[in-house]
Amino acid sequence: MVKHWQWLFIGLMGYCTSVASETLSTQSAPSGQLKHAVTASLPVDTMAISPHSQGYFIDIGIKRALICQLPQLPACLQLLPQSLQQQGGFSPQAIRAAMGYKSAMVLSAVDDHIAGIIVVNPTKDIAEQSGSIGLTTYQLPLRQQAQLTLWHEIGHLHNIRLQNKILPGVLTEYQHEWLADLYLLWRIAQHYPQLDLAWQQFHRRNLALINDSGNLTHWSAPQLQIALTHYNIEQLQNFIRYDDFIAAVYPFMPLWSERDMAEFSSLIQRTFGAGVVQPLPGYMFWRQPKLVEVLSPTLEQLMGKDSAQQWLQNQFNTIQ
């Protein structure tokens, strides 16, 4: 049987991994048949699955995705076509094993009609994000996090839909994650009159990175900052189609190499890692300006502007 790489994307602070699996369908739609379409716009208060819902479908371009709640997973999977139910990767046992302690996960499918499955675990919803800087632990309250997580997962499937069209055919794990958060930003602008929740996601990604450099794979704050700098709420709302938004904003995004990411990781570990006893202001000085630019709004949110500026001056010799 033909093999393919199936991406498992994690909604909250886990890692995005690829695993070899059986093909999820014996038929796939030719790429030329995947036309752009307006994203489904379900009312914001109905996007989250009710505790007793068996599951429901949403549009992903010309295809659909099934959204399931983990406690109702076996019954929800019965809504899939038989051709997908028979695939081992879509069995309840396989999905539960892959889910682990995650709050949400998406599995993409190779199928003429089904884009994939999104599974959410309501017991893993979080109400705050925390991170330690020195001896102080900071908490960031999170509003509407279940909704934001779901939109992030939906974004993964839309970005897969746009590969080899608006987006490159090959995307790194890191690109998949920040692209999903750009979709999240777009959805927020379509449903809310302000961008407070987008800034919440920005601060959340920064604080997660401060807490653990392993969260670098989900560090979408640099890309969110660029988008939030280029567009205000009215401009974002003018992008009725996500396809048009991502086509406009993607060229502004940095395309960092593995070496670039490794250097950011090293600087973050040296700055915030456990066991760091004294600052090295000149360490990785060529990466300091970008890291400071992205972290500053979050540090000011947590510490206050004056304290954040003083802390940055103590840590980095590129700060005047």
Side-chain angles (χ1 to χ4, degrees):
M1 184 176 290
V2 179
K3 302 280 186 175
H4 80 288
W5 288 99
Q6 173 190 344
W7 286 94
L8 304 179
F9 298 109
I10 303 167
L12 294 180
M13 291 185 10
Y15 293 101
C16 175
T17 59
S18 61
V19 296
S21 67
E22 296 294 328
T23 302
L24 298 183
S25 174
T26 57
Q27 294 180 328
S28 61
S31 59
Q33 294 181 5
L34 296 180
K35 301 177 182 178
H36 297 167
V38 178
T39 302
S41 297
L42 295 181
V44 65
D45 58 347
T46 64
M47 288 295 295
I49 306 173
S50 73
H52 305 292
S53 174
Q54 188 180 48
Y56 63 89
F57 287 96
I58 62 167
D59 291 337
I60 305 291
I62 63 172
K63 297 186 180 183
R64 297 191 302 166
L66 177 61
I67 300 181
C68 297
Q69 200 173 44
L70 189 61
Q72 285 77 42
L73 183 61
C76 184
L77 293 176
Q78 295 298 311
L79 300 175
L80 289 173
Q82 284 294 324
S83 60
L84 292 183
Q85 291 185 41
Q86 294 170 1
Q87 298 297 325
F90 278 168
S91 70
Q93 296 80 8
I95 292 175
R96 287 182 184 277
M99 190 82 176
Y101 294 101
K102 308 175 191 70
S103 64
M105 182 182 70
V106 58
L107 296 88
S108 61
V110 179
D111 186 80
D112 289 341
H113 306 291
I114 302 299
I117 301 175
I118 295 170
V119 183
V120 296
N121 185 354
T123 67
K124 298 299 179 181
D125 290 342
I126 59 174
E128 66 180 24
Q129 177 73 55
S130 63
S132 296
I133 303 175
L135 300 177
T136 304
T137 299
Y138 296 92
Q139 287 85 29
L140 175 71
L142 300 177
R143 299 183 296 111
Q144 302 291 331
Q145 192 54 56
Q147 180 68 75
L148 302 188
T149 297
L150 179 57
W151 280 343
H152 174 92
E153 301 301 335
I154 293 171
H156 277 304
L157 293 178
H158 276 286
N159 290 318
I160 291 172
R161 170 178 67 86
L162 295 177
Q163 286 184 251
N164 288 314
K165 303 172 188 66
I166 295 173
L167 297 174
V170 177
L171 295 170
T172 67
E173 173 185 347
Y174 179 56
Q175 288 174 304
H176 274 292
E177 291 302 325
W178 61 254
L179 281 165
D181 267 359
L182 288 183
Y183 176 87
L184 169 62
L185 166 62
W186 176 81
R187 284 303 293 263
I188 290 170
Q190 303 306 307
H191 287 285
Y192 292 94
Q194 69 282 321
L195 295 173
D196 293 357
L197 290 176
W199 282 107
Q200 173 181 294
Q201 188 76 354
F202 171 88
H203 295 315
R204 175 174 169 254
R205 295 304 192 191
N206 273 337
L207 194 52
L209 184 69
I210 290 170
N211 190 59
D212 184 354
S213 62
N215 290 315
L216 187 65
T217 55
H218 284 61
W219 189 45
S220 62
Q223 292 78 17
L224 287 173
Q225 187 177 47
I226 291 171
L228 287 165
T229 299
H230 274 82
Y231 301 108
N232 60 31
I233 182 67
E234 291 81 10
Q235 291 169 323
L236 288 170
Q237 289 171 343
N238 286 335
F239 289 106
I240 303 302
R241 297 177 357 127
Y242 172 67
D243 300 25
D244 296 332
F245 167 66
I246 201 63
V249 75
Y250 183 78
F252 296 122
M253 298 300 149
L255 299 178
W256 287 322
S257 66
E258 290 185 7
R259 178 176 178 176
D260 296 332
M261 298 301 290
E263 290 178 352
F264 276 119
S265 178
S266 182
L267 178 57
I268 291 159
Q269 289 181 58
R270 186 60 189 79
T271 304
F272 299 104
V276 174
V277 294
Q278 64 181 13
L280 290 177
Y283 186 72
M284 291 271 177
F285 65 89
W286 60 95
R287 293 295 176 195
Q288 290 184 16
K290 175 53 68 175
L291 184 64
V292 170
E293 177 187 355
V294 179
L295 291 185
S296 289
T298 299
L299 295 177
E300 292 177 7
Q301 173 83 5
L302 299 173
M303 299 177 171
K305 186 173 183 178
D306 292 342
S307 296
Q309 188 68 17
Q310 184 61 53
W311 186 89
L312 288 168
Q313 289 175 347
N314 293 338
Q315 295 294 322
F316 303 114
N317 64 7
T318 57
I319 302 298
Q320 301 300 321

